[in-house]
Amino acid sequence: MSRATKVRALFALAILVMSTYIAATVPPRLGLDLRGGTQIVLETRDSPTAKADRDATDRALEVLRRRVDALGVSEPGLVRSGDRRIIVELPGVQDPRRAAEVLGRTAQLTFHPVLGLADASDATTTPDAEGRQVLPDESGQMLRLDATRMTGADVDRAEALLDPAGGGWHVTLDLRGRGERAWAELTGDAACAPAGTPARRVAIALDGKVVSSPQVDASVGCGTGILGGSTRITGDFDKREARELALLINGGALPVPVETVEHRTVGPTLGKQAVEAGTWAAIIGAAATALFIAGVYRLLGVLAAVALAGYGLIAYAALVGVGATLTLPGIAGFVLAVGMAVDANVLVFERAREEYLARTKPALRPSLTRGFRNAFGAVADSNITTLIAAGLLFFLATGPVRGFGVTLGIGVLASMVSALVVTRVLAEFAVGRAAVRRRPRISGIAHAGPVREWLARRDPHLMRHRGRLLAVSGVLALGLAVSGVAVRGVDFGVEFTGGRLVEYSTTQSVEPDRARSALADAGFPKAVVQTSGDHELTVRTAKPTEAEEARITATIGELGRGAEKVRDEFIGPSLGAELRLKAMIALGIALAAQMAYLAVRFRWTFGLAAVVSLAHDVLILVGVFTWLGRTVDAVFLAALLTVIGYSVNDSVVVFDRIRELRRTPAPGKRSLARITDTAVVQTLPRTVNTGSGALFVLIALAVLGGDSLADFALALLIGVVAGTVSTVSVAAPLAVALESRSTSVPLRASRPRSSTARAGRRPDHTSHDNGARV
């Protein structure tokens, strides 16, 4: 064993041991969509006296943290997002409206002298220049109030208590500092008014609403007031109202108003089912992929399957180690990365096959070593393009989709470690055994493989028909997208349109048409109803009031002989418009970033060809989804950006081979079209094997991943197939066409990277490689 192999082996062992320790000792952090609960996104707004900047949002965050602590929610999460947004996660809370109401109230507690009675026509919502206003008291009688004499800042603590004498619930206030003196002065002035008159009352208002306006007792002396720094708020409170009032007072006043722009609620049952479905999809998808790669590459395939298990351990340990939140899309990203992790192994093994078959006296270990070296550039390029997509998902997406971006990014990095370190250590050790050297075919790289042999016999001249390929692909993509949008329309999800989406689990199966008709009769003719299973219905409407929401739930419950909410999502119209803008920005940045990277790594012509190919894939995906009537939502956006990252991988591999072949000395001058034909033929076995591995995982997700992942898996399935085809039908022929018209200097020949090229001769096994350098 060489020194380099020993170093790699020790490095791999250290990573696996550390990953095992982290996985065994650090519990995973599950998102709300997996453990059940409510996520609320609040946005601070400017007020007449304060601007909603970063500092004000930070102060509001601390107030909200105290309120959440007082609610008694276990393991809550509060974090600022940007300058004006606060994301609140409340595990186990299933009533988002009540939680949002408690958290979002400004809790401005004020104390006012009462000047007298007023008419209803005099009612005002804001104080006048002198701070006076007219508000109804707790019984509806209009009171003319003087300017504020005290605020909630003068209160030390509040407590909800039940009067043992039968007086009902009330809230006691313990005042502090200036509050004690101010309360004595306020009640002392009121005590000077005759008994029974309005002026002998003190009004206590919360957020501009009078919650109590008691008369000062006759025993209180004029000018003396109530001493001792303690009082109580009485009113027609029940237990919940009294406790919420005490909670708001204790939590303090928000420095600026906040508005709920999004909330999501997932029932714990749905989360449990999602975890089980995702786990089974991961197990079966990974097992099918492992069996496939073992069947294709024999011994090295078996070792790659073992390395895939190591990849899973490393990726999981990295996720829990950095404290990433595992969401349902995140599980999908983890499962998908298993299929993508095969790509690096396939690239290496195919290059090792080419090196072995190209040598007059083939040897396993040198061929494998050169396979790893020659494949490194393509592996790095293809993974970087996927990391660009993962980064865009993290920075531009919201909610669980960000979890998918994190998981996908960590998965890509872990797959490189698995393929280039763990697999290499195992493979180099295996091919160095005498038993394997005596029977090289069991290694998996000492034979061409059926796909390569079939292509060698056919020797297709694909680029001869590049004009037809481009025309057919363009017409197909534009026809699908334009006709789908024109005929069926795009069914945007609630994330992009704003509104409310509620998923119900019904006791009895309900036909969507029947539910639509019943909801139309109930006053919701524009409600969008879809089924996601035999006993699951989703209803999407504009933002309903509490009464309207109750009517929707009652209608579905009557049809289904009982209905339980398992998911509840609300997106405000402003956030929906912002998400639409972000989706377009994300798509544009993704295409621009891929083009810029490929232009730097290859040529601008190659970058432009790859971007046009990606646009082709996007149009195909959108067209198919519109014709199928599927919802275009945030999860679809995650799938779309993933397709962009995944699809460009195949183009990168082909472009890398074209660049290599152009640099290789060869008898005669071959045209770029023939070089591209050779590059496509040489890389097609890798494409077929990698695509098959990904398809196994995606099919497992589509079939076993549950309704929540069905559209996601379907989008990726369409994208993988479209991306594989577009490399040959769009990217490669367009690159040839652009290069033929480019005035830039062609790629210079550089030192070849294999012993065959250094010797300046053609490979001996021309039946396997069409006589081209491999």
Side-chain angles (χ1 to χ4, degrees), residues 515-555:
R516 291 188 195 101
S517 177
L519 288 173
D521 293 340
F524 304 97
K526 295 184 179 181
V528 178
V529 181
Q530 295 175 319
T531 57
S532 54
D534 290 339
H535 297 278
E536 283 78 35
L537 275 178
T538 58
V539 178
R540 192 165 77 244
T541 62
K543 182 182 178 181
T545 63
E546 288 192 29
E548 290 172 337
E549 182 191 350
R551 200 157 72 243
I552 292 173
T553 301
T555 302

Side-chain angles (χ1 to χ4, degrees), residues 264-578:
R264 303 174 185 269
T265 299
V266 178
T269 303
L270 183 63
K272 181 180 178 181
Q273 292 173 348
V275 172
E276 292 177 353
T279 302
W280 277 109
I283 292 173
I284 295 178
T289 303
L291 289 175
F292 173 77
I293 195 173
V296 173
Y297 296 107
R298 302 185 184 181
L299 176 61
L300 293 185
V302 172
L303 297 178
V306 174
L308 279 181
Y311 151 79
L313 178 63
I314 294 169
Y316 176 76
L319 286 170
V320 299
V322 301
T325 301
L326 280 178
T327 62
L328 186 56
I331 289 180
F334 187 84
V335 176
L336 176 63
V338 173
M340 299 181 70
V342 176
D343 185 35
N345 290 303
V346 171
L347 278 168
V348 169
F349 294 159
E350 287 296 328
R351 293 309 300 257
R353 273 183 174 178
E354 294 173 1
E355 292 292 339
Y356 186 90
L357 297 172
R359 296 176 64 85
T360 306
K361 294 181 179 180
L364 291 175
R365 184 163 187 137
S367 298
L368 186 66
T369 300
R370 281 190 293 273
F372 273 100
R373 184 174 63 245
N374 293 341
F376 179 80
V379 170
D381 287 336
S382 59
N383 281 285
I384 287 173
T385 55
T386 305
L387 286 174
I388 290 174
L392 290 173
L393 284 171
F394 178 78
F395 288 109
L396 296 178
T398 59
V401 177
R402 295 190 73 186
F404 172 79
V406 173
T407 309
L408 183 62
I410 291 177
V412 168
L413 296 175
S415 72
M416 292 188 68
V417 174
S418 169
L420 301 180
V421 180
V422 180
T423 300
R424 183 165 186 173
V425 169
L426 295 174
E428 288 183 344
F429 177 81
V431 299
R433 302 306 92 197
V436 178
R437 290 199 302 269
R438 288 193 298 269
R439 292 179 292 276
R441 287 184 66 85
I442 68 172
S443 67
I445 64 173
H447 65 287
V451 176
R452 189 179 297 274
E453 291 177 346
W454 180 82
L455 289 171
R457 291 193 301 269
R458 301 282 297 181
D459 190 18
H461 290 210
L462 296 171
M463 295 304 106
R464 179 187 300 169
H465 310 290
R466 57 182 177 272
R468 296 177 187 175
L469 289 172
L470 288 171
V472 171
S473 299
V475 170
L476 178 63
L478 288 173
L480 266 177
V482 173
S483 63
V485 172
V487 176
R488 299 295 299 270
V490 181
D491 181 18
F492 285 108
V494 69
E495 292 95 340
F496 297 133
T497 61
R500 191 72 171 269
L501 183 146
V502 182
E503 181 176 347
Y504 296 95
S505 176
T506 57
T507 305
Q508 179 178 295
S509 179
V510 179
E511 291 293 329
D513 289 339
R514 188 179 169 208
R516 291 188 195 101
S517 177
L519 288 173
D521 293 340
F524 304 97
K526 295 184 179 181
V528 178
V529 181
Q530 295 175 319
T531 57
S532 54
D534 290 339
H535 297 278
E536 283 78 35
L537 275 178
T538 58
V539 178
R540 192 165 77 244
T541 62
K543 182 182 178 181
T545 63
E546 288 192 29
E548 290 172 337
E549 182 191 350
R551 200 157 72 243
I552 292 173
T553 301
T555 302
I556 298 299
E558 183 179 348
L559 291 175
R561 302 292 178 87
E564 177 187 358
K565 284 185 186 178
V566 294
R567 184 161 61 107
D568 187 350
E569 298 181 4
F570 160 71
I571 303 290
S574 61
L575 185 60
E578 180 180 331

Side-chain angles (χ1 to χ4, degrees), residues 112-135:
H112 305 263
V114 176
L115 300 177
L117 300 179
D119 296 328
S121 59
D122 297 330
T124 57
T125 56
T126 56
D128 60 17
E130 296 180 357
R132 297 177 178 180
Q133 57 187 320
V134 175
L135 295 175

